[in-house]
Amino acid sequence: MKIAVVASSDRSFIQFFLPNYNFNDLPIGFEGSPFIGTLINSLLKDNNEVFAITITKAINNDYAIKKFNCKNFTWLVVPCRPFSIRNNGKKAGRIIDLYRYEITQLTNAILEVSPDFVHAHWSYEFAGAAIKCKLPYLITVHDNSWKIFCYFRNLYRFGKFLMSEIYLRKALFTSTVSPYMFPYLKSRCKEVKIIPNPTPIKINENQLQKLIKYKSNTLLTAKIVMINNGWDKRKNGFFGLQVFKKIKQKLPLASLHLLGHGTEMNGLAWQDVQKLQLQDVFFYGSLKHVDVENHLVDAHLLIHPSLEESFGVVLIEAMSYGVPTIGGSKSGAVPWVINNEQLLADCNNLVDFSKKIEYLLLNQHIYESISNTCYQNVVSRFSDKAVYDNYRIYYLEILNFFKSVKSK
């Protein structure tokens, strides 16, 4: 089957499917969302022909669609207007006309490859293009646009909220990534299923036990990791720094490693670290996904103080390596994903969050037990195979619906 995956995709994980191209010769694409690569890999292993279609900011006014191919995989990169509000030469800002130009270009790219099925992600420009094509499609919704607007009250986020409201009310078939998201989507869409995000399982039981044993013997020098897609109120990174400062009182040799947007040297996170006069904090900024994974493999613990998540892919990525992950007990989908009361804490309560970490890092046998539980949680619920099997069943259901409508 020919399947178009219309979503954010970037060269950091797309290059895996394009070994015949030099990394630097590929456009940046739309950064983030490595789980899209996991889905693409599952589709290819199931002998589908896959077209990954994304957008990237146009450079030097070049709006020509770029195409890259290797065997059964093709990456189509649609240049978008660089600025979201101010004018782009003769073109208005993207959000001013609600991405109309980008949706038209994405639609043309989809129709050119003429897929049997379109799987679009998020409820914005990718969803708009999927609906406009009038081909069999599924829209997977990864966030609640209204909640995001409430955190970031600006013109851009308001425009994104309007886009989401328009397309969700038009969508015939949707899925979302957690029970937390289900009521939001069900109030707007005709057909909704819960299918979580996937992560590949890259270590086996023997490798897991070796990792756990090494880490449980080095807890006093714990490497604590915090990965944020932005340093803002919603991600609650400053609270995470305060937690670490408190932890240092009991574990003076522990270190904190900050990854993601806003954690660059001299960036927003760095400024907050200086305010708190913290020691043993390391700044990495945005990294290739493979480098993020390397940090997770080495980590003793992931802390995730975000106030709201529709899912939280980094949680399952960490737990897939047996890394205990402590997140918010009231942070949207986080409790459902982590699935362990011992790893949940109040993200507004410094004492509560700190005690959960101390209990884990100061009790070797508890640490080993929970590490094993985290790994099994991901294997049973969020593995690439388990998630893809659910998508495949839903694809067939949607295709049968479109066939029945066409035959009438």
Side-chain angles (χ1 to χ4, degrees), residues 224 226 236-249 256 276 278 301 303 305 326 346-347 349-355 357-358:
I224 301 172
M226 187 161 65
N236 205 23
F238 186 76
F239 176 83
L241 297 181
Q242 291 176 305
V243 168
F244 179 67
K245 185 171 185 177
K246 194 166 182 59
I247 292 302
K248 288 286 278 183
Q249 296 171 11
L256 179 64
L276 293 171
L278 282 172
L301 179 71
I303 60 172
I326 296 182
D346 186 343
C347 289
N349 187 321
L350 191 59
V351 173
D352 183 37
F353 212 99
S354 302
K355 280 186 175 179
I357 297 173
E358 290 170 7

Side-chain angles (χ1 to χ4, degrees), residues 32-223:
S33 312
F35 59 87
I36 297 296
T38 304
L39 175 60
I40 290 170
N41 195 45
S42 295
L43 287 165
L44 289 170
K45 284 200 282 188
D46 199 26
N47 296 317
N48 295 291
E49 184 178 2
V50 179
F51 298 85
I53 303 175
T54 195
I55 60 174
T56 196
K57 290 181 180 180
I59 299 174
N60 297 325
N61 212 35
D62 179 5
Y63 286 92
I65 295 175
K66 309 299 187 296
K67 183 187 287 189
F68 307 88
N69 173 262
C70 182
K71 298 179 182 178
N72 283 344
F73 176 75
T74 302
W75 192 34
L76 289 144
V77 183
V78 177
C80 69
R81 292 166 287 182
F83 304 113
S84 60
I85 296 176
R86 66 188 239 200
N87 284 343
N88 298 269
K90 295 182 179 180
K91 295 180 172 65
R94 297 191 304 270
I95 206 64
I96 303 303
D97 59 9
L98 304 182
Y99 279 70
R100 184 173 63 182
Y101 172 79
E102 285 74 19
I103 290 170
T104 297
Q105 294 297 90
L106 285 165
T107 302
N108 291 339
I110 296 168
L111 292 175
E112 181 185 338
V113 302
S114 188
D116 302 304
F117 192 86
V118 179
H119 189 171
H121 291 258
W122 283 271
S123 53
Y124 311 111
E125 62 272 21
F126 301 129
I131 292 170
K132 193 173 180 180
C133 286
K134 298 182 179 179
L135 295 167
Y137 69 87
L138 167 64
I139 295 170
T140 293
V141 182
H142 295 272
D143 59 23
N144 181 325
S145 63
W146 171 249
K147 282 199 176 286
I148 293 175
F149 174 61
C150 289
Y151 278 103
F152 306 101
R153 290 186 174 272
N154 55 52
L155 177 61
Y156 178 76
R157 283 299 170 187
F158 180 67
K160 283 282 191 171
F161 164 69
L162 291 179
M163 291 171 69
S164 182
E165 290 296 297
I166 291 167
Y167 298 128
L168 289 182
R169 294 175 193 280
K170 289 182 178 181
L172 294 176
F173 292 93
T174 63
S175 70
T176 192
V177 292
S178 66
Y180 165 71
M181 286 286 292
F182 185 81
Y184 160 73
L185 210 58
K186 191 61 179 175
S187 66
R188 292 159 172 79
C189 305
K190 294 184 175 79
E191 185 69 31
V192 186
K193 289 189 187 301
I194 298 170
I195 302 176
N197 286 317
T199 191
I201 308 302
K202 295 186 176 181
I203 62 171
N204 58 35
E205 285 278 358
N206 289 335
Q207 293 168 318
L208 173 71
Q209 297 312 317
K210 288 179 182 178
L211 274 175
I212 292 174
K213 183 55 68 176
Y214 168 76
K215 291 176 184 178
S216 69
N217 288 325
T218 55
L219 291 176
L220 295 180
T221 57
K223 174 181 178 178

Side-chain angles (χ1 to χ4, degrees), residues 35 38 197-202 289 293 313 316-321 378-379 382-385 387:
F35 59 87
T38 304
N197 286 317
T199 191
I201 308 302
K202 295 186 176 181
H289 187 246
E293 286 186 311
V313 173
I316 61 172
E317 289 180 331
M319 291 189 291
S320 74
Y321 291 106
V378 174
V379 170
F382 306 115
S383 71
D384 46 358
K385 182 182 185 307
V387 171

